[in-house]
Amino acid sequence: MSKIVIKVENLSKQYRLGQVSTGTLAHDVNRWWHQIRGKEDPYLKVGEANDRTTTGTSEYVWALKDVGFELKQGEVLGIIGRNGAGKSTLLKILSRTTAPTTGSVKVKGRIASLLEVGTGFHPELSGRENIFLNGAILGMTKNEIKRKFDEIVDFAGVERYIETPVKRYSSGMYVRLAFAVAAHLEPEILIVDEVLAVGDAEFQKKCLGKMKDVSEKEGRTVLFVSHNIDAVSNLCTTGLYLKNGMLEYYGTVDDTIDRYIKGLAAGKSRSRTIAANELTAPRIIDYIVDNDSLLKGELKIRIEFASPFDLDEVNLGVVVKTMTGTPLFASNCKLDEPVMNEKNISRGFGEVSFKDVPVHTGTYIADIYLGDKSQDYDVANDALTFDLISYKNIINNYSKNTIGHTVADAVWKISKQA
Amino acid sequence: MPAILPGVCQRRNNMNHYYSEDDTWDLEIKPQHSVFDLQLKEVWRYRDLMLLFVKRDFAAQYKQTILGPVWHLVQPLLTTAMFLLIFRNIADIPTDDIEPVLFYMSGIAIWNYFAGCLTNTSNTFVANAGIFGKVYFPRLILPLSVVVSNIARLGIQFGLLLFVMFYYALFKNTPIHIGFSWLLIPVLIVMMAGIGLGLGIIISSLTTKYRDFSVLITFGVQLMMYATPVAYPLSFLQNKSYAWIINLNPISSLVEGFRFAIFNKGHFAIADLTYSFVFMVVVLVVGSMIFSKVERTFMDTV
């Protein structure tokens, strides 16, 4: 067991909705009056969970509520959750750009946060001047920057333009320089928001590699927020799943991602039965996956649909994706001509079967589409989550990050040199 | 024969890294903290950053200008010319037997320093919200960097003043007074900086919630100059009914004192200076209290 470097206890953050200045003076005075009499803040009692989708009754909202976890040295924590789940608020508190409402965070060592690349870059200053300025803003001393200067310029690949004002840089160069400075920070704890969403694919790969190095070889602790589940599962050792400002799950990264994805799917499960006369547009009513076939490497999905008018040519579609959302394969009635195709139906069923699904054993997700020959009417994203046993057995337990998701039938020949 | 089991090795390695639960933390992030916690130790650790901000302000301001830093000279020279025309020639206000050009120039130099400190620190939070929202460093660094970069500006204007003084000594027989009173100058500048910084951080803290103050400050500073003996000497106001306004202004004694230090002429009293000093201490204490409270959550209201 190595040492604990971050300890978060009962961390909460309350925000007030609506306009900042209206009525705050009255609340401020009331707060102050309570404080003088030694009573607790009256507005801390109100407030509700942070759920975007429902209209709340209180104007106070908990962006983060009673979050607690511990991180050990060298761990890479991936923080995931839907938009507005409190990820950024958590990072803001950890990087000390705002204070929590209640609770505490205890930290060992230096923290550096990378919530954005190029913070404090001044367009008029040259690349060289900006390296120093940005480095100092991120917490480096002048000597540290001097020592790493060549390395930074090299990583960014901007030697030629180092004396040019950064406003003349292409946006790619600008981002590369900014990330290069950040990548050469040497804090014990590094906080990274979705800054990797910039730059070209090659540079993103370089950045991810650099982050991996930082944690694996140099033993730093990294906190990483991203919507890119693939990046999280590649980089992180531990996962934290936030939902409506509350800690939903904290554990190994695979378990956390699993929970998150199942949560996404569960949130969208719909087995609604709508009377035909209530329909305003063609809808997917229900769907089911045949569990027995899944064990034999076959995927069978049955879809029920209904429409307020006759669909002259129904087009159903299925897209199968990995747990992390990468599409693997798909089919619809245009790609694969149906063997039986009745015309002019307003209510009916569709059935699709994929024999010998070309993927390894694992959990997969399917999106379902309903349309006709010219347009899509309804989509059920992440409608089905299912475990499939591949027709092709993998003897060794290879990681799918190494061998990929798809199965290929290959023929090998090994021969001796004559 | 099996090699050393990796697991054993691992465990031994980790033993060295094991720390007990209750050892000390380097940093604790809490909702509340003590009122006077300005984290001066942190400020010292980030001193490089402060100097870089000073450099940035200087370098960036005159990029793509032809005259560059010469602008620091043009502005006081033109203002002096304007004052000569209006206050000397049109209004005919006396200048305490000091050569009018030198009188105005010295007043403008020291006043500009105060005005620069005040206006530039007063928008600390709003102007830098972008940086503050993304990364932590002691917030006090920015107002401090403003005070320092304005000292550089004052240095340039003071140099200009000395140059003009030599010119007058050589060609117009205006003697240069040099004495122990010159030692007063650094004290006066520090007090100017103190009052400018104190008022500036109070206003910057209030501006995070109520933008009204940023409107107030722009013309407030202009008006305040007329309530300060920049364009007229304090002696001119004797026996005037509104003299108390000028006396109440803590900057008055500093501007007068600055002229007294250089020319050994004009009004100077320890009592006035003590008043300014007390005022400076009060605004600095109040300012740092408000600032340290606001800096922790201002991102939510700015």
Side-chain angles (χ1 to χ4, degrees):
Chain A
M1 148 167 192
S2 60
K3 71 168 173 175
I4 291 166
V5 288
I6 296 185
K7 193 171 183 176
V8 176
E9 284 165 329
N10 300 325
L11 201 67
S12 303
K13 176 82 187 173
Q14 191 186 51
Y15 280 110
R16 190 169 178 280
L17 300 178
Q19 276 197 309
V20 173
S21 53
T22 46
T24 45
L25 197 59
H27 284 193
D28 285 350
V29 171
N30 195 4
R31 248 193 205 124
W32 170 79
W33 178 233
H34 276 74
Q35 221 177 338
I36 283 194
R37 291 178 299 164
K39 294 196 176 170
E40 91 178 272
D41 191 337
Y43 299 105
L44 282 187
K45 289 175 207 150
V46 294
E48 47 201 34
N50 174 22
D51 188 349
R52 255 173 325 124
T53 50
T54 57
T55 320
T57 47
S58 166
E59 54 180 325
Y60 288 93
V61 100
W62 290 103
L64 215 56
K65 183 105 176 110
D66 291 332
V67 172
F69 60 89
E70 283 174 357
L71 263 191
K72 292 186 196 113
Q73 191 192 352
E75 272 188 301
V76 183
L77 177 73
I79 301 169
I80 51 178
R82 286 156 66 180
N83 283 326
K87 303 184 297 287
S88 298
T89 308
L90 179 61
L91 288 202
K92 271 187 189 165
I93 293 172
L94 289 174
S95 54
R96 288 201 279 169
T97 56
T98 189
T101 312
T102 64
S104 72
V105 181
K106 291 170 186 157
V107 180
K108 263 181 218 150
R110 270 211 284 173
I111 290 193
S113 52
L114 252 183
L115 303 192
E116 175 190 75
V117 288
T119 310
F121 260 45
H122 197 292
E124 297 287 352
L125 298 181
S126 70
R128 177 189 300 277
E129 290 165 313
N130 268 312
I131 290 179
F132 278 94
L133 182 63
N134 187 235
I137 286 176
L138 293 171
M140 286 195 261
T141 64
K142 212 169 173 176
N143 285 330
E144 261 180 277
I145 306 167
K146 257 186 203 152
R147 200 152 35 82
K148 300 204 163 158
F149 187 81
D150 292 336
E151 224 178 303
I152 292 172
V153 175
D154 198 47
F155 188 89
V158 293
E159 291 93 332
R160 255 190 94 179
Y161 308 97
I162 200 66
E163 306 298 343
T164 312
V166 293
K167 67 176 176 181
R168 307 250 181 268
Y169 279 30
S170 77
S171 54
M173 267 160 63
Y174 184 95
V175 167
R176 284 208 305 277
L177 182 66
F179 189 87
V181 179
H184 289 82
L185 280 173
E186 282 187 343
E188 282 81 30
I189 299 158
L190 184 65
I191 298 175
V192 187
D193 203 352
E194 279 191 288
V195 288
L196 299 170
V198 292
D200 53 22
E202 188 207 358
F203 188 70
Q204 279 189 23
K205 222 173 136 190
K206 204 168 164 187
C207 299
L208 286 171
K210 181 81 193 173
M211 273 183 58
K212 231 183 160 101
D213 280 359
V214 162
S215 59
E216 281 175 6
K217 293 187 188 143
E218 300 167 30
R220 309 259 173 71
T221 312
V222 180
L223 285 92
F224 179 54
V225 162
S226 179
H227 283 113
N228 182 346
I229 299 291
D230 277 328
V232 170
S233 85
N234 272 327
L235 278 173
C236 303
T237 53
T238 320
L240 186 95
Y241 170 24
L242 287 176
K243 193 178 174 188
N244 299 335
M246 280 174 273
L247 189 104
E248 184 80 4
Y249 189 79
Y250 175 53
T252 65
V253 70
D254 291 334
D255 290 350
T256 312
I257 290 176
D258 203 58
R259 283 285 184 108
Y260 172 60
I261 283 158
K262 289 200 170 130
L264 281 185
K268 281 176 185 140
S269 102
R270 56 157 110 190
S271 117
R272 36 182 197 187
T273 37
I274 307 166
N277 55 4
E278 282 174 26
L279 281 171
T280 54
R283 282 275 172 268
I284 299 163
I285 301 289
D286 202 3
Y287 35 73
I288 189 162
V289 60
D290 181 22
N291 281 320
D292 292 337
S293 321
L294 286 174
L295 299 174
K296 293 174 281 181
E298 186 181 351
L299 174 62
K300 254 189 195 168
I301 296 172
R302 187 179 155 90
I303 304 158
E304 186 184 350
F305 59 89
S307 162
F309 48 86
D310 280 357
L311 295 164
D312 60 343
E313 210 169 292
V314 179
N315 182 18
L316 290 166
V318 170
V319 178
V320 175
K321 307 185 294 186
T322 66
M323 290 271 279
T324 55
T326 313
L328 289 172
F329 59 89
S331 174
N332 67 16
C333 306
K334 282 186 215 160
L335 290 167
D336 301 290
E337 193 67 33
V339 286
M340 188 182 84
N341 197 359
E342 285 182 55
K343 310 274 175 191
N344 298 326
I345 29 181
S346 64
R347 203 173 179 114
F349 299 95
E351 219 178 84
V352 63
S353 156
F354 297 89
K355 277 220 161 64
D356 296 341
V357 182
V359 294
H360 293 298
T361 302
T363 311
Y364 296 91
I365 304 169
D367 294 342
I368 294 168
Y369 289 78
L370 167 70
D372 62 14
K373 64 180 173 201
S374 54
Q375 58 178 309
D376 281 349
Y377 290 115
D378 195 13
V379 185
N381 280 313
D382 303 331
L384 290 163
T385 307
F386 52 88
D387 291 311
L388 185 119
I389 309 289
S390 181
Y391 72 97
K392 183 168 179 170
N393 285 320
I394 312 178
I395 307 151
N396 288 319
N397 222 348
Y398 290 116
S399 158
K400 268 179 245 153
N401 282 331
T402 316
I403 61 165
H405 292 278
T406 49
V407 172
D409 288 315
V411 181
W412 282 89
K413 275 181 190 158
I414 311 270
S415 54
K416 208 175 191 172
Q417 196 179 16
Chain B
M1 191 184 107
I4 303 164
L5 287 172
V8 175
C9 209
Q10 196 90 28
R11 204 173 305 142
R12 199 181 318 125
N13 253 340
N14 285 341
M15 285 292 274
N16 295 335
H17 287 286
Y18 182 79
Y19 288 78
S20 61
E21 271 283 331
D22 55 4
D23 69 359
T24 51
W25 301 93
D26 296 329
L27 167 72
E28 200 172 346
I29 303 168
K30 285 180 300 186
Q32 300 288 332
H33 68 156
S34 76
V35 185
F36 287 105
D37 192 4
L38 278 178
Q39 296 159 316
L40 292 178
K41 222 165 110 188
E42 285 270 283
V43 172
W44 177 246
R45 199 165 75 71
Y46 277 85
R47 62 192 182 281
D48 284 342
L49 177 62
M50 192 188 81
L51 293 176
L52 282 163
F53 274 132
V54 172
K55 218 172 132 189
R56 176 194 72 174
D57 287 348
F58 243 77
Q61 196 174 5
Y62 296 110
K63 282 269 161 95
Q64 268 194 22
T65 60
I66 296 167
L67 293 181
V70 176
W71 280 111
H72 286 301
L73 304 179
V74 174
Q75 191 257 342
L77 279 176
L78 286 179
T79 318
T80 305
M82 194 57 94
F83 278 21
L84 263 178
L85 180 72
I86 295 172
F87 295 105
R88 184 69 202 165
N89 293 342
I90 298 178
D92 200 23
I93 296 170
T95 55
D96 262 355
D97 296 333
I98 301 169
E99 184 60 43
V101 171
L102 300 178
F103 179 89
Y104 294 131
M105 208 175 252
S106 59
I108 289 164
I110 191 79
W111 172 259
N112 273 352
Y113 179 58
F114 171 76
C117 285
L118 180 55
T119 44
N120 293 337
T121 50
S122 69
N123 65 6
T124 303
F125 282 123
V126 176
N128 296 290
I131 301 182
F132 282 174
K134 294 297 179 192
V135 66
Y136 170 83
F137 54 87
R139 276 36 178 147
L140 205 55
I141 287 283
L142 268 167
L144 284 177
S145 79
V146 166
V147 171
V148 173
S149 69
N150 274 302
I151 281 198
R153 245 159 248 167
L154 174 68
I156 295 173
Q157 297 194 8
F158 194 71
L160 177 70
L161 177 66
L162 288 180
F163 179 78
V164 177
M165 276 166 74
F166 276 119
Y167 173 82
Y168 270 86
L170 284 175
F171 298 103
K172 308 245 164 136
N173 284 327
T174 315
I176 296 179
H177 158 77
I178 293 177
F180 283 114
S181 60
W182 281 64
L183 294 177
L184 205 59
I185 296 174
V187 179
L188 295 170
I189 290 173
V190 167
M191 280 169 68
M192 276 285 190
I195 295 176
L197 179 70
L199 285 176
I201 59 179
I202 290 174
I203 290 165
S204 75
S205 306
L206 295 173
T207 322
T208 62
K209 234 178 180 177
Y210 311 102
R211 291 293 151 83
D212 312 48
F213 289 92
S214 62
V215 183
L216 181 76
I217 196 80
T218 42
F219 72 89
V221 168
Q222 274 178 334
L223 291 184
M224 199 174 161
M225 191 189 81
Y226 294 105
T228 311
V230 176
Y232 51 85
L234 205 57
S235 58
F236 181 64
L237 297 178
Q238 273 167 356
N239 311 322
K240 295 239 161 58
S241 61
Y242 49 80
W244 62 272
I245 300 176
I246 315 302
N247 284 323
L248 207 63
N249 181 353
I251 309 299
S252 298
S253 68
L254 298 179
V255 174
E256 271 303 299
F258 186 66
R259 286 205 190 100
F260 175 80
I262 298 174
F263 307 112
N264 202 22
K265 282 172 192 161
H267 175 79
F268 175 74
I270 288 293
D272 292 346
L273 215 57
T274 314
Y275 165 68
S276 301
F277 183 78
V278 171
F279 187 87
M280 177 192 81
V281 172
V282 171
V283 287
L284 278 180
V285 167
V286 173
S288 37
M289 274 166 68
I290 301 180
F291 192 84
S292 72
K293 187 173 155 51
V294 166
E295 68 168 353
R296 295 175 55 80
T297 53
F298 92 100
M299 272 320 295
D300 306 334
T301 54
V302 75

